[in-house]
Amino acid sequence: MQLRFSKMHGIGNDFVVLDCRQRAFPLDAAQIRALADRHTGVGFDQLLSVEPARSPDGAFYYGIWNADGSPSGQCGNGVRCVAAWLHRAGALAIGKDVAIESPSGPVTVRLLGAHEVTVDMGEPVFEPARIPFAADAAADRYAIDAAGETLDIGAVSMGNPHAVVTVDDLADPVLARLGPLLTSHPRFAQGANAGFVRRLDRRHLRLRVHERGAGWTLACGTGACAAMAVLRRRGEVDATVAVELPGGTLRIDWAGPGHTLWMTGPAAFAFEGEWPVPATSA
């Protein structure tokens, strides 16, 4: 079977997008891992499927799978790429708010241009049980043990779980060890995306993210939202923040509790292709 796909990225966070509007999702976990291999496959951080809506209120649905074949609940850079893909397919108009369903619930997208998208990511969730994160009560900070080292983290869900750690030096070699430890930490029942953030001032952050199921990425949209939300809740940043990631910059807007958070950034097409699906099983 030849699988047609679009390769896209949002400031370096890269995706393979499949058109599943008129066909069932065709891959199992082993085939996803083969497609994700950057040497023998196509390579991606996440795989996205564009599918028919599953409720009357949605225009479309998109599925998300990590490079290791595991499912994901949300992907901020991915939803921007889905919106741009739908626009190019003639299914989404510029300037119109549209609800698109994700595995973690609906999100509202608005195309500002063919390759610029703003997304209502919902209100950040800080209740530990809903992240999910093992803690007695919601707090601005938690002490967490990582291989004998005590870290001060923020925990939040943006449709997927995040651990946020403020640091002074994003080039510190210790982060290479701490990222995977936080991503698989037992206090996060479903794992977590580990974000290391440096606050430059009240309107500018710099961020690196180690994603569960994908590893270190050039960009993580939900990670940028999570970092801003954690620092905003602590009163350390303003309502509009530029978050600089290795692949580029996103704008995050959040007025605070009781309001939804908006993320704005680019979506780019890299190439189209066909991939011979290997006959494997999960």
Side-chain angles (χ1 to χ4, degrees):
M1 179 177 69
Q2 296 291 322
L3 184 71
R4 291 196 57 80
F5 66 88
S6 300
K7 182 69 183 286
M8 301 185 68
H9 73 91
I11 61 172
N13 188 188
D14 65 332
F15 310 97
V16 160
V17 183
L18 302 182
D19 186 356
C20 297
R21 292 175 296 172
Q22 297 180 347
R23 62 176 296 179
F25 182 74
L27 303 177
D28 61 29
Q31 291 167 334
I32 292 171
R33 290 193 295 270
L35 181 61
D37 192 291
R38 295 190 183 275
H39 299 285
T40 59
V42 178
F44 57 78
D45 291 323
Q46 278 84 29
L47 175 69
L48 308 172
S49 63
V50 183
E51 306 177 24
R54 300 184 180 182
S55 75
D57 298 329
F60 297 94
Y61 173 90
Y62 66 101
I64 312 165
W65 288 266
N66 295 313
D68 67 357
S70 62
S72 180
Q74 188 53 279
C75 180
N77 289 317
V79 67
R80 296 200 316 277
C81 288
V82 167
W85 188 96
L86 285 166
H87 172 69
R88 195 178 69 167
L92 210 62
I94 291 175
K96 181 180 179 181
D97 285 5
V98 177
I100 302 180
E101 301 169 64
S102 76
S104 63
V107 296
T108 298
V109 302
R110 183 190 312 135
L111 279 129
L112 306 180
H115 304 289
E116 187 80 7
V117 185
T118 188
V119 183
D120 181 349
M121 297 294 292
E123 185 172 355
V125 173
F126 293 96
E127 293 86 350
R130 294 175 60 197
I131 293 174
F133 174 68
D136 294 332
D140 290 347
R141 303 173 185 274
Y142 303 93
I144 191 169
D145 179 80
E149 183 172 349
T150 300
L151 299 177
D152 177 21
I153 74 162
V156 63
S157 173
M158 293 301 312
N160 52 3
H162 290 265
V164 177
V165 183
T166 56
V167 297
D168 295 325
D169 182 9
L170 288 171
D172 190 333
V174 74
L175 302 189
R177 179 174 61 88
L178 294 179
L181 289 174
L182 282 177
T183 296
S184 59
H185 198 281
R187 288 182 67 180
F188 288 93
Q190 299 174 5
N193 299 300
F196 299 92
V197 60
R198 180 186 173 196
R199 190 177 78 97
L200 303 180
D201 57 45
R202 293 190 62 87
R203 294 177 61 88
H204 297 88
L205 302 176
R206 193 167 289 158
L207 178 69
R208 289 179 61 193
V209 180
H210 186 274
E211 291 192 31
R212 58 176 185 171
W216 294 104
T217 61
L218 291 176
C220 177
T222 56
C225 297
M228 188 276 195
V230 164
L231 296 189
R232 177 74 173 155
R233 191 171 190 259
R234 295 175 182 172
E236 297 179 10
V237 296
D238 293 341
T240 297
V241 172
V243 182
E244 178 187 331
L245 297 115
T249 300
L250 298 172
R251 192 187 82 202
I252 311 298
D253 295 277
W254 187 41
H259 300 271
T260 59
L261 180 152
W262 287 79
M263 173 193 61
T264 304
F269 288 88
F271 58 87
E272 309 291 321
E274 291 187 350
W275 185 70
V277 179
T280 59
S281 63

